[in-house]
Amino acid sequence: MELLARDVDVPSPALYRDVEPLIRALRPALSGPGFAAFAAEAAGQGLVFTAAYDNAPSGKGRCVAVATHRTLATSRGRILFVDDLVTGPALRSGGVGAWLMGELEQRAARAGCVRVELDSGVVNQGAHRFYHARRMSVVAFHFSLDLPDHR
């Protein structure tokens, strides 16, 4: 399968047609209006929505995977941080995710990044195998504290 990576504008028809279904499959608690609000706010913070499409020669194929990412300046050096990476369920373990990770690595190198970083839920062992197979290491713990809803 030939693939083409394309950054998707926020807002745009492609965002809602191609990106939203895959992100919401990864994040089932995210509603349609919640996705729109998230996308608008996150894009304002530098989040890039990159979609992988099949049928690269025409550029009009179906969306088969999505990554959301941003470049950050940190005290550890410039990094490309991947917020989400999801492949369509029917195409998992077929090389699409690996291809998209390769695309992100190339972008990171062109942006002068020293590494690609991401978080992965502690129970998502399939994702852990995928990331280890890409030579990624577990180098930190990510701590979280839920705050009371003050709305």
Side-chain angles (χ1 to χ4, degrees):
M1 171 186 321
E2 271 188 81
L3 297 171
L4 170 71
R6 188 169 68 213
D7 292 345
V8 176
D9 291 334
V10 177
S12 70
L15 180 74
Y16 300 108
R17 179 190 65 234
D18 301 337
V19 173
E20 180 180 0
L22 287 175
I23 296 296
R24 289 185 58 203
L26 180 66
R27 310 274 182 225
L30 190 60
S31 67
F35 174 81
F38 146 72
E41 184 173 0
Q45 296 172 349
L47 191 70
V48 177
F49 294 80
T50 300
Y53 291 90
D54 66 2
N55 286 334
S58 70
K60 297 182 182 177
R62 65 189 164 130
C63 180
V64 295
V66 171
T68 64
H69 55 93
R70 60 187 100 212
T71 301
L72 300 172
T74 75
S75 60
R76 302 174 317 278
R78 178 183 282 251
I79 63 167
L80 187 137
F81 190 86
V82 180
D83 287 29
D84 297 303
L85 177 69
V86 59
T87 299
L91 296 170
R92 291 191 183 137
S93 299
V96 174
W99 181 89
L100 189 51
M101 276 298 294
E103 172 71 20
L104 296 175
E105 290 171 25
Q106 291 174 22
R107 288 173 180 225
R110 288 193 303 268
C113 295
V114 296
R115 88 183 116 272
V116 174
E117 293 185 2
L118 56 85
D119 291 334
S120 181
V122 295
V123 298
N124 194 346
Q125 294 177 346
H128 302 164
R129 283 190 296 276
F130 174 81
Y131 297 128
H132 284 301
R134 311 274 87 65
R135 302 176 332 274
M136 296 186 86
S137 301
V138 178
V139 297
F141 290 107
H142 180 99
F143 291 91
S144 174
L145 173 66
D146 289 337
L147 298 175
D149 188 355
H150 292 289
R151 286 181 258 176

